[in-house]
Amino acid sequence: QVQLVESGGGSVESGGSLRVSCVASEGTISKFCMGWFRQSPGKEREGVAAITIGGTPTYEDSVEGRFTISRDNAKNSLYLQLNSLKPEDTAMYYCAAVRCATGLFAGRLSPSKYNYWGQGTQVTVSS
């Protein structure tokens, strides 16, 4: 079991950058696959990026090349670097975890695959 806490959200102008972080306040993430998801008002939660225990990333098409997911198991932390931000990136960003084996797993960008969630951090991008 893990408890996740996000931080680092904020407001930036279009083209700007932010780094959001997620730390496990209880438990260890070393045996968990991790992901970042986002949700804006009136829309379903969507997967943004996922990372395996070994550090292999997967990205949703619209953020490929702009966002970078990383993890530091020693610090029990997950990160998402957001560059070249666009107004359509505005959303609440959530980190999530699921206990998994090594390697990629099917549906790793699907919220339904994850069973531990943080409370979210707001990212707002103005034009």
Side-chain angles (χ1 to χ4, degrees):
Q1 184 173 352
V2 288
Q3 290 196 357
L4 305 173
V5 181
E6 301 96 335
S7 63
S11 297
V12 295
E13 293 186 350
S14 182
S17 297
L18 281 173
R19 187 195 198 204
V20 292
S21 301
C22 172
V23 64
S25 60
E26 289 188 16
T28 175
I29 68 169
S30 61
K31 297 187 185 301
F32 289 80
C33 292
M34 307 291 293
W36 284 101
F37 298 80
R38 64 186 180 187
Q39 188 170 20
S40 51
K43 294 188 176 181
E44 292 187 356
R45 192 169 297 189
E46 64 174 355
V48 174
I51 191 165
T52 66
I53 291 174
T56 301
T58 300
Y59 297 99
E60 190 270 330
D61 287 348
S62 70
V63 307
E64 179 87 50
R66 299 190 298 123
F67 292 6
T68 302
I69 188 172
S70 62
R71 64 190 296 162
D72 186 337
N73 290 343
K75 295 183 178 180
N76 244 358
S77 294
L78 177 74
Y79 307 101
L80 186 68
Q81 179 68 41
L82 301 83
N83 295 332
S84 303
L85 281 161
K86 305 174 181 180
E88 51 263 43
D89 294 319
T90 294
M92 186 73 77
Y93 282 72
Y94 299 89
C95 71
V98 60
R99 198 170 178 97
C100 66
T102 57
L104 300 171
F105 68 95
R108 52 195 174 273
L109 288 180
S110 173
S112 64
K113 295 292 187 179
Y114 294 78
N115 49 10
Y116 297 102
W117 292 87
Q119 294 300 306
T121 186
Q122 179 69 37
V123 172
T124 302
V125 185
S126 59
S127 57

